[in-house]
Amino acid sequence: ALFLQIGFASTNNRNYRPVLILGPYDVSPGEVRNCWLSKFHEVSRDGVLRFPLIVYWFGLNRTRKFSIMNRQDVSLYDEGLERKFCPPATARNKKSKDKYHALDAWDEMREARRRPLCERPPFIKLKEYYEEVMGPGADRLLVEYEAEIRQRKNFGDDQENSE
């Protein structure tokens, strides 16, 4: 399983940067997940299943920290170390137009590696409609709770009509 693993990715096959590999349900519903779904359908259309990956770029100081990548453009952590994807010996590149700071990225990646898998994403994920409605000890899902409320409402309407 690749999800929530640390790795390296490149958009130009030259400069590999640290990333967190995510699945579609590791991010909140919205633009990133919708882009992943479009890419999934696009690469699956020819009959060959090529599963796209969502990557979170460590070290970027901008709002677009996610990309949808092909598997061949992403290396797992150990593979990346074998291929010498190491932090540059030079200091931070303050002239970079994308505000990428290599040393910050490596620090952020090291911190994520210390955490358990479920705590690795350094962002807050919004709740999904199917998630528990009353916290970790809840005995039902939100959709079940909503169905119960609708059923009670309909039952109450039936009671009033029978009187």
Side-chain angles (χ1 to χ4, degrees), residues 71-118:
R71 174 61 181 99
Q72 66 266 20
D73 297 324
V74 179
S75 298
L76 291 176
Y77 181 79
D78 291 334
E79 180 187 337
L81 292 183
E82 287 175 18
R83 294 176 64 190
K84 309 263 190 259
F85 300 155
C86 298
T90 60
R92 290 175 174 84
N93 180 359
K94 300 212 184 264
K95 295 179 183 175
S96 177
K97 65 181 175 184
D98 69 358
K99 298 196 181 349
Y100 173 77
H101 297 294
L103 298 179
D104 291 343
W106 277 79
D107 290 344
E108 195 177 346
M109 179 196 64
R110 285 186 190 109
E111 177 62 33
R113 284 196 75 227
R114 286 188 212 112
R115 293 189 215 127
L117 290 179
C118 62

Side-chain angles (χ1 to χ4, degrees), residues 2 131 155:
L2 293 173
E131 292 183 283
F155 180 75

